[in-house]
């Protein structure tokens, strides 16, 4: 395996963790957004501890980039574990239709207790949490139907909590992304880096791409061959990156492959879904 120890925990995330804890009592349901391509690696283990017994909806976002067969397996896995989960694509409004209805259903017991105390009826309240760059702002904008939040293809854009009226009967609290304080598992860090959850500035593009090519060679060799017009995959990922560099014209003077440029191109094509619909993790039953 390619070794690349990745650590990334910007200071604002310390504050974000505290904010979630402080605002939890204000909401009825927690929506946990994860990446459908890496459902396990993109789940922050601290979130479960933070929300305790609060009703939770797990959204496997970017399902349009993930392998649909594997995503179905993950949905079954969560259902068997007693969790409520949906596969969505924040860029596709149609895939989000079930989200408000599911949130309202999960919030119903809390609202019934609220009204049993002779309080005035109110809209269900939800909080969206997740690691950075998993698509929270895009999701909210789609649900609202117009642009309300800043969206950018880089982690850590949301820096403070924001209340958003999702529709007439649903209020949403958006929270900054939260990443685990320390990524203890080297492979988890590599997966997060490959999918863009971690800033490109803090890891070696080449090391992460070599790891990614190793995973794709094992899981989706046909997609790699088709995308990069290869008859066969080299046995070594370093040679594979060289071949991709040649195919993509990422060359230096004298015809030597610019491995950094080739690695960045390969990483970008994976993230954009141009290599194909890919999942890097299978559920462990």
């Amino acid at each position: 395996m390619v070794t690349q120890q990745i650590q990334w925990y910007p200071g604002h995330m310390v504050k974000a963790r505290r904010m979630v804890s402080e605002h939890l009592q204000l909401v009825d349901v927690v929506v946990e957004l994860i990446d459908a391509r890496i459902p396990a690696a993109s789940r922050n283990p601290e979130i479960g501890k933070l929300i305790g017994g609060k009703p939770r909806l797990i959204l496997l976002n970017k399902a349009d980039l993930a392998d649909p067969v594997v995503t179905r397996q993950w949905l079954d896995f969560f259902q068997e574990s007693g969790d409520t989960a949906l596969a969505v694509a924040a860029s596709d409004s149609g895939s989000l239709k079930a989200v408000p209805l599911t949130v309202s259903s999960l919030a119903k017991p809390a609202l019934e207790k609220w009204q049993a105390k002779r309080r005035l009826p109110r809209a269900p309240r939800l909080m969206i949490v997740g690691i950075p760059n998993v698509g929270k702002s895009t999701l909210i904008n789609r649900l609202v139907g117009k642009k309300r939040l800043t969206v950018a293809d880089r982690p850590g854009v949301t820096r403070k909590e924001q209340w958003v009226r999702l529709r007439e009967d649903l209020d949403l609290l958006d929270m900054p992304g939260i990443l685990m304080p320390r990524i203890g598992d080297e492979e988890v860090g590599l997966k997060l880096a490959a999918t863009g959850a971690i800033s490109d500035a803090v890891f070696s593009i080449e090391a992460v791409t070599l790891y990614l090519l190793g995973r794709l060679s094992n899981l989706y060799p046909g997609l790699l061959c088709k995308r990069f017009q290869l008859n066969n995959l080299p046995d070594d990922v370093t040679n594979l990156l060289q071949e991709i560099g040649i195919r993509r014209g990422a060359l230096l003077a004298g015809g030597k492959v610019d491995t950094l440029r080739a690695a960045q191109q390969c990483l970008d094509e994976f993230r954009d879904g141009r290599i194909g619909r890919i999942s890097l993790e299978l559920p462990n039953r």
Side-chain angles (χ1 to χ4, degrees):
M1 178 189 296
V2 178
T3 58
Q4 167 72 25
Q5 188 65 39
I6 298 171
Q7 298 296 332
W8 189 63
Y9 195 61
H12 74 271
M13 291 187 191
V14 177
K15 180 181 178 182
R17 187 186 189 283
R18 184 173 66 250
M19 287 165 54
V20 170
S21 181
E22 293 173 350
H23 290 79
L24 190 63
Q25 61 183 343
L26 302 178
V27 302
D28 308 305
V29 178
V30 173
V31 174
E32 181 185 1
L33 203 58
I34 62 179
D35 191 321
R37 297 167 296 178
I38 51 169
S42 60
R43 295 193 78 187
N44 183 343
E46 290 191 354
I47 289 178
K49 299 175 185 177
L50 281 172
I51 68 174
K54 187 77 66 173
R56 171 168 45 175
L57 170 61
I58 300 172
L59 294 183
L60 284 75
N61 192 30
K62 304 186 180 181
D64 55 327
L65 300 176
D67 184 329
V69 174
V70 177
T71 297
R72 181 68 260 172
Q73 293 174 2
W74 276 104
L75 290 174
D76 292 341
F77 170 79
F78 286 124
Q79 183 178 7
E80 292 167 4
S81 301
D83 293 311
T84 302
L86 297 171
V88 301
S91 58
D92 176 20
S93 299
S95 73
L96 305 177
K97 291 181 179 179
V99 174
L101 294 176
T102 305
V103 168
S104 295
S105 176
L106 290 172
K108 187 176 180 180
L111 293 179
E112 289 176 345
K113 290 181 180 179
W114 176 271
Q115 294 185 30
K117 296 178 181 179
R118 299 183 182 278
R119 294 173 175 173
L120 293 175
R122 62 167 176 79
R125 299 170 180 168
L126 64 142
M127 173 191 295
I128 289 190
V129 297
I131 67 172
N133 205 33
V134 78
K136 294 191 305 299
S137 296
T138 301
L139 171 71
I140 295 172
N141 289 333
R142 286 289 183 179
L143 289 172
V144 172
K146 55 186 177 180
K147 186 174 181 180
R148 293 288 300 274
L149 305 179
T150 301
V151 178
D153 187 21
R154 65 180 188 277
V157 171
T158 303
R159 294 299 180 91
K160 62 181 181 179
E161 75 277 13
Q162 307 178 72
W163 279 104
V164 180
R165 174 52 59 94
L166 190 59
R167 58 182 195 175
E168 290 304 315
D169 58 348
L170 207 61
D171 289 330
L172 181 150
L173 178 63
D174 180 45
M175 302 296 293
I178 307 173
L179 197 66
M180 53 286 294
R182 182 178 185 277
I183 303 172
D185 187 319
E186 179 182 322
E187 192 165 5
V188 167
L190 290 165
K191 291 174 183 176
L192 291 170
T195 54
I198 298 175
S199 171
D200 288 357
V202 302
F203 62 82
S204 164
I205 298 291
E206 292 169 86
V208 170
T209 301
L210 289 173
Y211 164 78
L212 176 63
L213 289 175
R215 291 290 291 169
L216 299 186
S217 295
N218 290 327
L219 298 173
Y220 300 95
L223 291 180
L224 273 181
C225 287
K226 182 178 180 180
R227 180 63 190 174
F228 298 109
Q229 299 179 336
L230 300 170
N231 293 326
N232 297 289
L233 292 180
D235 293 334
D236 182 81
V237 290
T238 302
N239 293 332
L240 176 55
L241 182 59
Q242 290 282 328
E243 287 291 330
I244 290 173
I246 293 172
R247 299 285 181 176
R248 287 290 180 264
L251 303 175
L252 298 169
K256 183 179 179 180
V257 173
D258 184 341
T259 54
L260 176 58
R261 182 181 164 196
Q264 186 67 68
Q265 289 176 335
C266 185
L267 198 57
D268 290 343
E269 292 187 34
F270 162 72
R271 290 173 176 173
D272 295 342
R274 283 176 280 169
I275 296 176
R277 297 183 65 174
I278 291 168
S279 296
L280 299 179
E281 295 178 328
L282 294 171
N284 296 318
R285 284 187 168 85

